[in-house]
Amino acid sequence: MPAETRKSLGQYLLERNLLSREQLQTALNEARKQGIFLRQSLAKMNLVKEEHLLDYLENELGIPRMDLSSYDSDPVLQKLVPERLARKHMLLPVFKISNILTVAMVDPLDIIALDEVKMASGCEVEAVASPESQILDAIDKYYPMGRMVESHDLSADEPRDVDFMAETGKPVAAEEGPIVKLVNALMTQAMRENASDIHIEPEETCIRVRIRVDGMLRDVGTHPKALHSSIVSRIKVVSEMDISERRVPQDGRFKVSLEGKELDLRVSTCPTIHGENVVIRILRKDALVLSLDSIGMSARDLVLVQGMIARPHGMLLVTGPTGSGKTTTLYSCLNAINNPNRNVVTLEDPVEYRLPYVRQTQVDPEAGLTFARGLRSFLRQDPDVIMLGEIRDSETAEIAIRSALTGHMMLSTLHTNDAPSSLARLLDMGIDPFLVSSSIIGVIAQRLLRGVCEKCKEPEVVRPEVLLRLGMRAAEDQFVRGAGCKACNGTGLKGRLPVFEVLQVDDEVRGMIAQRASFEAIGQAARRSGMRTLRDDALDKARRGLTTLGEVSRVTGEDPEAVREVAA
């Protein structure tokens, strides 16, 4: 477009009613004050959506826009533009034709950045415009830190305040090697993105690193295979594992002080055909909620659970898959009944969080300390409350149930799909129906689903026939979705919230257990008594705008066809 016909950015936005004159003047004043361009001021003050700035660059200045969401990079290009430069100016080399290198940029008018790329690459440089979130994601994906480690080029951008401590509490000697810096960087990235797990996975030609954020795994990069043994050895050293043993699984843990926060990390290694796989579970003391009335239960379920744990004896089970929040619920129950007048003991694998007044023990099968053996010993320790990490076999189940019948409050977990099936599972393990019906006072089933991102939340229109299939009323039920933004990494979902199913064992259910009724029949009886299922609780949270119908379907496994028909 000829220069004389181009509109200024301010004029372009005003004509399209994307900015008021007052907002434009405010942005201009801020730009003059800080010595920056108007486009930078608008972006910094969040006065204009990024897509509108991209439209201006494309329509008025003729700078093409490029979508990086389905882009696959050529590794050769990353050698032309150092990671330090890519991160500093938020740009990514996307293709090279002859001696012309095209780079995707947040600000393609940044001539200083273009000059630095030209000097580093030795190429003529052309720019295209891309969203900031896509460029940052692509940089994380295509610039694995392993290349920096290979060249010993870990710069001042790397974290310097990562302090490791062994489980004994003694500091681990500080080191400054490149592998140490790489492990530090992995920890820092996982913490900043609020990850719950780090997966270091060896493949045939590389090491793949993934982190679990809000319950979902995603790639964060690959590293050269040559670094694998050094990375694993470093992690084993801080976890006090045997670095010479690579043929059998090992478990360890360590603490880390990272950017002023203390984290407990559990480490598990397992041999695979390509080397040892490492999974690090991150336990955040600052994020642990230990209050029953703050973990997300409905008012009805909260009253039921508080009544159950107030009893002097009986067994309360918490069920759900790994990573469903069972530990938080158990600790919240313990915290509610823990006081100096009670002797509270736990047997866990492993001990995840420390509580005052609570005697906590970790099982050690190699030393002969199993759940069953430890539980027998606990009964001689004059306990009032016993928390058993998990019921894994019939021996442990029978000891636990008999303990609940002899004046102890017993809390434990069981792996089943819902609350009613937990009772059937105990019967399948060979426990006498009379013992089950006499000891179990209630079961809590739970899952974790992702919440909708508050920064990009918007209404979602759902067809009436879909609502009817979901058992809802079109006139009253309103739902939301996340449009996708930088804060939620473009997913529209951020954070997690629990959904619960609380089954109270009343006289009717107790009689059905004694008669070995099926879990379907027990579930129907519980629902007649007012029990809300996991699906009911999840749909209620969707109605309240806390999550989306898509998440409800993903977590509960119900109504996939209905959710697919949701109209955006």
Side-chain angles (χ1 to χ4, degrees):
M1 181 178 294
E4 61 271 12
T5 62
R6 291 176 184 167
K7 298 173 183 175
S8 68
L9 175 59
Q11 182 184 4
Y12 177 87
L13 295 172
L14 287 173
E15 288 182 357
R16 286 160 177 76
N17 295 319
L18 299 173
L19 194 71
S20 68
R21 292 192 178 277
E22 293 76 13
Q23 290 174 321
L24 176 59
Q25 190 59 51
T26 301
L28 287 169
N29 293 339
E30 186 68 18
R32 294 190 192 100
K33 181 180 178 181
Q34 297 193 19
I36 59 179
F37 293 106
L38 173 60
R39 61 182 182 275
Q40 296 171 320
S41 175
L42 290 169
K44 186 175 182 180
M45 299 175 71
N46 293 317
L47 292 176
V48 177
K49 290 184 178 180
E50 185 178 30
E51 63 185 85
H52 298 319
L53 295 176
L54 293 172
D55 288 341
Y56 170 75
L57 293 172
E58 185 172 33
N59 298 334
E60 294 297 324
L61 303 186
I63 298 174
R65 182 195 301 200
M66 183 172 180
D67 183 0
L68 300 179
S69 59
S70 58
Y71 165 77
D72 289 323
S73 174
D74 182 351
V76 175
L77 297 179
Q78 276 76 64
K79 296 180 181 179
L80 297 175
V81 180
E83 179 177 5
R84 175 190 56 79
L85 204 58
R87 292 188 182 277
K88 176 182 176 182
H89 296 297
M90 287 189 286
L91 55 86
L92 182 81
V94 289
F95 54 84
K96 179 175 178 287
I97 300 176
S98 186
N99 196 45
I100 300 176
L101 177 67
T102 299
V103 294
M105 303 178 66
V106 172
D107 186 359
L109 300 178
D110 188 342
I111 58 174
I112 294 177
L114 291 170
D115 284 344
E116 289 190 27
V117 172
K118 182 177 180 179
M119 293 178 61
S121 65
C123 301
E124 295 298 320
V125 181
E126 291 184 353
V128 296
S130 294
E132 180 179 340
S133 60
Q134 291 186 7
I135 288 181
L136 292 178
D137 286 346
I139 290 173
D140 289 339
K141 181 177 180 180
Y142 296 116
Y143 280 98
M145 294 177 185
R147 295 195 183 96
M148 298 167 64
V149 173
E150 278 187 314
S151 62
H152 291 245
D153 184 27
L154 285 169
S155 65
D157 293 335
E158 296 306 313
R160 301 293 183 185
D161 61 341
V162 182
D163 298 320
F164 292 94
M165 289 189 296
E167 178 60 14
T168 57
K170 60 185 180 183
V172 175
E175 300 178 43
E176 289 298 327
I179 294 296
V180 174
K181 293 179 181 178
L182 172 59
V183 174
N184 291 359
L186 292 176
M187 301 293 175
T188 302
Q189 181 179 4
M191 188 212 71
R192 288 174 178 169
E193 299 196 29
N194 201 33
S196 61
D197 301 86
I198 305 171
H199 290 240
I200 301 172
E201 304 166 338
E203 298 186 356
E204 187 174 0
T205 59
C206 66
I207 312 165
R208 184 173 303 281
V209 179
R210 297 192 290 172
I211 60 176
R212 188 179 295 278
V213 179
D214 295 337
M216 306 297 285
L217 277 173
R218 64 179 177 85
D219 279 316
V220 294
T222 58
H223 305 283
K225 186 64 178 286
L227 300 175
H228 178 253
S229 60
S230 298
I231 293 173
V232 174
S233 294
R234 170 60 180 169
I235 294 171
K236 284 184 173 181
V237 166
V238 298
S239 307
E240 296 192 318
M241 296 182 187
D242 184 354
I243 63 172
S244 64
E245 181 55 78
R246 301 178 180 178
R247 299 167 298 176
V248 297
Q250 294 189 65
D251 294 307
R253 64 187 297 161
F254 62 95
K255 300 177 181 179
V256 62
S257 176
L258 199 61
E259 296 185 348
K261 297 182 179 180
E262 277 199 12
L263 306 174
D264 284 336
L265 296 102
R266 282 176 16 205
V267 182
S268 172
T269 66
C270 185
T272 71
I273 59 173
H274 296 306
E276 287 183 282
N277 195 77
V278 180
V279 177
I280 303 174
R281 168 64 59 89
I282 302 172
L283 305 174
R284 301 169 181 272
K285 294 181 178 180
D286 59 333
L288 182 65
V289 178
L290 290 181
S291 173
L292 270 177
D293 57 5
S294 300
I295 63 175
M297 282 187 181
S298 67
R300 176 191 177 277
D301 289 346
L302 179 61
V303 170
L304 285 178
V305 173
Q306 288 174 332
M308 293 174 191
I309 62 177
R311 299 187 187 185
H313 56 81
M315 176 181 283
L316 175 63
L317 293 173
V318 181
T319 183
T322 301
S324 61
K326 298 189 300 296
T327 298
T328 298
T329 300
L330 279 177
Y331 275 93
S332 297
C333 290
L334 273 187
N335 198 50
I337 59 179
N338 182 29
N339 61 62
N341 300 321
R342 281 182 164 179
N343 182 19
V344 181
V345 295
T346 74
L347 188 62
E348 306 171 60
D349 182 23
V351 176
E352 295 194 4
Y353 299 100
R354 276 56 168 170
L355 294 176
Y357 295 112
V358 179
R359 308 281 72 77
Q360 296 173 270
T361 302
Q362 181 165 323
V363 298
D364 187 355
E366 292 184 2
L369 181 56
T370 61
F371 278 117
R373 185 172 182 180
L375 187 52
R376 287 194 185 95
S377 299
F378 276 0
L379 295 176
R380 296 190 289 270
Q381 293 282 313
D382 185 33
D384 297 301
V385 180
I386 302 173
M387 188 185 91
L388 193 63
E390 183 182 349
I391 294 178
R392 296 178 178 174
D393 53 60
S394 57
E395 181 185 13
T396 306
E398 184 162 355
I399 298 171
I401 284 176
R402 292 188 181 278
S403 301
L405 290 172
T406 54
H408 304 96
M409 169 55 67
M410 178 71 63
L411 306 175
S412 190
T413 68
L414 196 64
H415 285 275
T416 57
N417 290 327
D418 54 26
S421 59
S422 296
L423 302 173
R425 171 66 179 145
L426 291 173
L427 298 177
D428 289 342
M429 295 172 74
I431 307 301
D432 189 284
F434 170 76
L435 295 178
V436 175
S437 62
S438 302
S439 60
I440 306 297
I441 58 177
V443 184
I444 304 171
Q446 65 183 85
R447 299 286 190 279
L448 288 178
L449 48 75
R450 292 176 292 175
V452 68
C453 176
E454 292 296 329
K455 292 187 179 298
C456 61
K457 182 166 68 173
E458 63 184 24
E460 182 173 39
V461 180
V462 186
R463 294 208 257 301
E465 60 269 23
V466 175
L467 290 174
L468 183 63
R469 191 149 68 247
L470 291 170
M472 302 176 184
R473 290 169 292 187
E476 297 182 9
D477 294 317
Q478 300 294 324
F479 297 95
V480 297
R481 63 185 293 271
C485 65
K486 180 181 177 183
C488 61
N489 200 32
T491 64
L493 300 161
K494 188 173 179 63
R496 291 198 287 178
L497 60 152
V499 291
F500 296 97
E501 177 179 283
V502 179
L503 185 156
Q504 183 178 36
V505 179
D506 56 18
D507 290 340
E508 182 181 5
V509 172
R510 195 170 291 114
M512 298 180 73
I513 295 172
Q515 296 172 11
R516 291 184 175 272
S518 66
F519 72 89
E520 292 94 344
I522 292 174
Q524 291 173 2
R527 287 192 289 275
R528 286 196 300 270
S529 299
M531 183 187 79
R532 299 199 325 160
T533 65
L534 289 166
R535 178 180 181 274
D536 294 335
D537 196 26
L539 285 173
D540 180 62
K541 287 180 167 63
R543 284 191 189 96
R544 291 157 54 195
L546 302 177
T547 188
T548 67
L549 282 176
E551 269 298 286
V552 173
S553 176
R554 183 186 69 83
V555 172
T556 65
E558 297 185 37
D559 296 299
E561 292 300 324
V563 174
R564 271 199 289 270
E565 293 184 33
V566 171

